[in-house]
Structure formats: structure tokens, C-alpha cells
Amino acid sequence: MADEVAAAVADMITRAPARPVEGELDRQLWDGLVDTGFHLLDVPEEAGGSGGDLSALAAALDVLAHRGAAVPAAESALAGWLAARAGLRVPAGLALVATGAVRERGPGRLSGTVTVPWGRHADHVVVPVFGEDGPAGVAVVAAGAGRWHTALDVAGEPRDELVLADARATDRASGPDPDELERRGALVRAAQLAGAARGVLDASVRHAGVREQFGRPLAAFQAVKHHLATMAGEVGLMRSAVDSAVLAESTARTDPGVRAEATLAIAAAKAVTSAGAGVVAAAGHQVHGALGYAREHDLGRLTTRLWSWRDEFGDEGRWQDRIAARALAGTRLWHTIAGPVPTRQGEAR
């Protein structure tokens, strides 16, 4: 299914190519994603989602990031997942997730400030809620329930703030711990980082193959070959880490006993992709030279997304610390580093 979804999304982008405008979403592409249900992949149908599975969602996000598409697909899927995990239906219209949390001052009365990527385009916001004693669930608020402060990240994507002052939630339920949202968000961003990094590599290979210097293509120079090889290695690592995390998380749904292993795989995926983002972006600009910094060139919309997404839902240092803490706290250090150790054929410990 993942391959079919990836092919369909790539076809949509090819049929309706568009150059992103700062702060604006690609409306034609977004409408196509909504019509096919690809904006709510891996969200149960009974909650208003499109069904599918995590591998299909990761494949769609990879293709969208690879092509630098300006659509809130990750944020929509996160909002749907969070609502469904709390037992709520996904609200009609464009529902987006908030990062951070707000306080509940009374039943369904919310106050606080949260960041909502692509928030200016939202109809509803799904937001984690804290009470006096800590995490208290998930709420849905109408986009018009608070004041908006608009802002852009380095890639020109909206990172708007929603200020709620005793706003009334339209729906409310007990829900997953906010750490669950960070964990899911890290996996989603890791998939996007791997896709954008692959886009930088592909653009660099094309550029080095056709651009000439001193009568020779750039790809013939040893220094350029090193940059391309560095990028190819990082992209391979990022892809492998994301695939492992998606497989581990999918397995953990039916076997809660491996949930800790899935969390470790997600931590590794975000750590590897965030660290690789800087390496790939730097090498890509080295290959392109000054041309890569031109606003009109496609490279910029890929590398600026790498720089923005690497820090969201935890940068590499945050997730590396978590991996180290787990290694130091446990007694199965080698298992943590290398995975299950085979003892006899067909067995592992």
C-alpha cells in the first residue's frame, strides 16, 4: 500500500506543479490530498480518518518532503491521530495540531499560548490540555476561539501562535500523555527529514552532472564526488532509521511488549535524521555554490525545511540524551546497541 500511496502523491505533484509562496499552502495539491483521504492516513475510519497504516503515511510524507510541497500533511495527520487517540472524532474542515499545551481553568475552559504550524489556515486546532495535577487530556477548539500571532519559520512555512483566554473547547476528552505527541511528532518529522534530504541529494547529482567548470562536469572533480558520497551515505542512514522506526512502531501496536523497542527506534530515527539534516544541507550548498542560495532555486526550499524540521519535536541532542539515559539505566546495554543477540537458530535473547 505504501508504494501505491507514494506513486499517487508523486503523480499529484507532477500534474499540478507549483512554486511555494511564503505562508501559503499549495491549495490545488492540498485539495487533491483531501479528496483522496491522504491528509488523514493512519487515522481510524471510525474517528473520521482515512484508515491506511503508518507505512503509507510515512511514504506520503517522504514524497511530499522530497518535492518541497507546501502542504500541512504532517500536521493534519498528527491532529487526526491525537484526536483519535483521545476517542474524539476528527473535526470537519482543516484540523491541525498544536505543539505545547494549554491550561484548563474550568470544564472545557482553556487558557494559554501554543504554536500551531500552518495555523492561519486551520478551521480547528487539536491541543493537549494540562490541569492542576498535570496532563489532563486533549481538546478541540475552533480557530476563531482565540487571537492569532502570525510568524514564519526559516523555510517560509507558517509557525503561528494561538492565544486562548478562557476559550471554550468544542470537544474534550482524556487523552494520551503529551510525551506521546512528541514521540509521534518525532517520527513524522523524521520521515519528512529523510524525504527532504533525498531531494537535496537528487538535486545535487543532477546539478553536478550538467554544470561544467573548466570544460568538465562538476561531478568529475574529486571534491564534488566526496560531497555527493557524503550525502548519499547520510540519506541511506536516514532512510534506514525511519524504516526501522516505522516497522517497530507498527509492530508495537499489536504487541505492546515491544513498545520500549519502538520508542528506542523512534529516538534513533529522529536523532539520525536531525543530525544528518545539517550534513546534507551543507554538502548540497557546497555542490551548488552560490546558485543554491538564490531564492528562485529549488535547493533552498529543501535545505531550509531541513534546518527547520531538525529542531521540531526534539533535536538530535534531545533524542541522543534519551537513548543514552536508557542505555545507562538498563542492564542490557549490548541489546540496546545491537538489538537481540541470537543464541541458537531461530531464537534470540
Side-chain angles (χ1 to χ4, degrees), residues 126-267:
V126 183
V127 57
V129 175
F130 270 71
E132 294 298 326
D133 300 322
V138 172
V140 177
V141 294
R147 289 183 292 109
W148 286 94
H149 295 159
T150 58
L152 301 174
D153 67 5
V154 67
E157 291 189 336
R159 292 296 183 269
D160 303 324
E161 282 190 347
L162 175 61
V163 181
L164 300 176
D166 199 30
R168 182 178 292 280
T170 58
D171 212 349
R172 165 81 168 82
S174 299
D177 190 280
D179 285 348
E180 283 290 296
L181 176 58
E182 184 182 40
R183 182 176 178 276
R184 177 79 172 194
L187 178 54
V188 165
R189 283 287 187 259
Q192 292 180 291
L193 284 165
R198 188 165 57 84
V200 173
L201 172 61
D202 291 348
S204 299
V205 170
R206 286 195 301 271
H207 180 75
V210 299
R211 188 83 170 184
E212 293 188 353
Q213 191 71 275
F214 306 115
R216 303 163 61 195
L218 291 178
F221 291 87
Q222 193 67 22
V224 175
K225 291 179 181 177
H226 278 301
H227 287 310
L228 295 177
T230 297
M231 281 190 279
E234 291 292 335
V235 168
L237 282 173
M238 295 163 82
R239 181 73 272 151
S240 177
V242 170
D243 287 346
S244 296
V246 169
L247 177 60
E249 180 69 354
S250 299
T251 303
R253 290 183 179 180
T254 55
D255 182 3
V258 299
R259 181 172 172 75
E261 304 302 324
T263 299
L264 179 63
I266 291 172

Side-chain angles (χ1 to χ4, degrees), residues 7-8 10 13 34 41 64-65 84-85 92 107 112 130 154 178 199 219 224 226 233 243 258 285 304 323 329:
I13 299 172
V34 172
L41 285 168
L64 291 167
R85 287 276 286 134
F130 270 71
V154 67
V224 175
H226 278 301
D243 287 346
V258 299
H285 280 290
T304 51
I323 295 171

